[in-house]
Amino acid sequence: MQVFVDCDPGIDDALALAYLASRPDVTFAGIGAVFGNNSVDVTTDNALRLLDLYGRSGVPVARGASRPLVQVPRLGDYVHGANGLGEVVTPEPSGEPVRESAAELLVRSARAAPGEIDVLALGPLTNLALALNLEPELPRLLRRVVVMGGAVRAPGNITPWAEANTYNDPEAAEVVLGAGFDMTLVALDVTMRTTAHEAWLDELGRLDNERARTTSSFLEFYVGHYSKVFGVRQCAMHDPLAAAVLLDPGLVTSSVEVPVRVELQGEYTRALTIADLRPTPAADDERPSVTLPTEVDRDVFLTRMLDALR
Ligand code: BDR
Ligand code: CA
């Protein structure tokens, strides 16, 4: 299975890369970095460092968008630390980014292997929107796209309504969600209920290898933030759950097929993701539907995530 990961590492992005890297059946077609949890320079550098940590050095990493399509950028360093990885110092990366942009690398990879590449998008969707601009046939060139983003029936995590990846580039999200990809949207609806609890975090802390030790240190900062959100020591598993949904679709125990739009105008609701959830949706809606998981098997996911770091 060939996977192109578009990401903004990011502590939970790191967990997603660990999940993918642990699987011998996964070949990384490339990694695109995007601004989001930190500047694109930092997220690109972190992607290279994480490939070294998780044993996949040599995968092409491309620097992507440094800012959203329209609005001014905002960064998530209060969740992920000043260096995007919980202020943990990791070895200098062995590789360098390629010369192409993330959008160019994605388009070239998709054209070289039509229908074979899956995309896992874990940050703002800016690189994917730019790639669509370069290659409007992209939805037919890719096999499947799994996106971590949005909050349909759940509250937001940046505003009461908006999820961070969507909030960071709502115009890009609106374009990508309507482009006609075979798409699964792993939203806060499931990621906020798929939390790593205290016993899991302790078990990770006991694993005796460098990957697990470093990942456990990344998580300290992140868990510090989420413990304030939840009131107990635990954290949401956004990006690794999206990775798991891509590799192990059986983890999704319930889902709906719905068109999803992104609010671009609202004074209070900008970046809200809206789905037509009526039992009989409008028959004349030409917006393509996406798969929205509504229930996942949290315990099996947590076991697999831990196994990935064993
Ligand atoms: C998403 O926002 C980022 O901070 C995380 O890495 C994740 O992709 C969750 O809303
Ligand atoms: Ca992310």
Side-chain angles (χ1 to χ4, degrees), residues 4-308:
F4 185 99
V5 185
D6 195 77
C7 57
D8 60 339
I11 295 168
D12 60 329
D13 302 73
L15 286 164
L17 290 172
Y19 195 97
L20 295 172
S22 73
R23 295 282 282 262
D25 55 325
V26 170
T27 304
F28 285 90
I31 299 211
V34 63
F35 77 92
N37 289 327
N38 214 298
S39 72
V40 72
D41 289 335
V42 170
T43 61
T44 306
D45 188 64
N46 285 347
L48 289 161
R49 286 170 194 255
L50 292 167
L51 286 170
D52 288 346
L53 176 65
Y54 298 130
R56 296 289 188 126
S57 311
V59 169
V61 173
R63 186 179 183 280
S66 62
R67 48 159 297 149
L69 296 182
V70 176
Q71 66 191 19
V72 291
R74 60 165 284 287
L75 304 176
D77 49 357
Y78 63 101
V79 183
H80 299 266
N83 70 351
L85 294 175
E87 289 162 26
V88 175
V89 179
T90 53
E92 286 299 311
S94 63
E96 287 189 358
V98 298
R99 284 171 185 272
E100 290 171 297
S101 70
E104 288 166 342
L105 178 62
L106 172 56
V107 167
R108 188 169 59 77
S109 309
R111 285 178 181 154
E116 289 177 24
I117 293 178
D118 292 345
V119 168
L120 178 65
L122 305 174
L125 290 169
T126 324
N127 290 340
L128 265 72
L130 295 171
L132 271 169
N133 216 25
L134 293 175
E135 175 51 278
E137 285 301 305
L138 197 60
R140 279 151 296 282
L141 290 172
L142 296 173
R143 192 167 72 148
R144 185 177 175 211
V145 177
V146 174
V147 172
M148 191 282 127
V152 175
R153 280 189 283 211
N157 58 359
I158 293 290
T159 72
W161 298 276
E163 179 278 331
N165 288 337
T166 311
Y167 188 77
N168 283 341
D169 196 343
E171 278 77 13
E174 170 62 7
V175 167
V176 173
L177 292 179
F181 291 105
D182 179 343
M183 181 179 284
T184 300
L185 187 65
V186 181
L188 297 184
D189 304 52
V190 283
T191 67
M192 284 298 277
R193 287 189 281 125
T194 309
T195 49
H197 46 72
E198 179 139 39
W200 187 95
L201 293 164
D202 290 344
E203 203 174 336
L204 173 64
R206 284 193 292 272
L207 295 185
D208 188 18
N209 71 70
E210 189 52 40
R211 288 170 296 126
R213 269 193 297 276
T214 308
T215 308
S216 182
S217 326
F218 295 157
L219 275 167
E220 272 174 43
F221 193 97
Y222 189 73
V223 171
H225 168 78
Y226 273 102
S227 298
K228 286 184 228 141
V229 174
F230 289 117
V232 290
R233 185 170 167 254
Q234 62 176 22
C235 64
M237 300 291 265
H238 309 292
D239 293 346
L241 180 63
V245 167
L246 175 72
L247 297 195
D248 308 317
L251 287 173
V252 177
T253 51
S254 168
S255 62
V256 289
E257 304 288 319
V258 278
V260 177
R261 292 185 165 78
V262 182
E263 171 61 61
L264 300 178
Q265 302 299 331
E267 184 180 358
Y268 300 109
T269 53
R270 183 164 154 82
L272 166 71
T273 39
I274 312 146
D276 190 345
L277 294 166
R278 292 175 293 181
T280 314
D284 59 352
D285 191 347
E286 287 176 4
R287 178 94 168 169
S289 289
V290 303
T291 303
L292 181 73
T294 51
E295 299 288 342
V296 298
D297 194 328
R298 172 194 188 226
D299 292 342
V300 173
F301 161 72
L302 287 177
T303 302
R304 291 189 186 165
M305 183 69 250
L306 209 54
D307 287 345

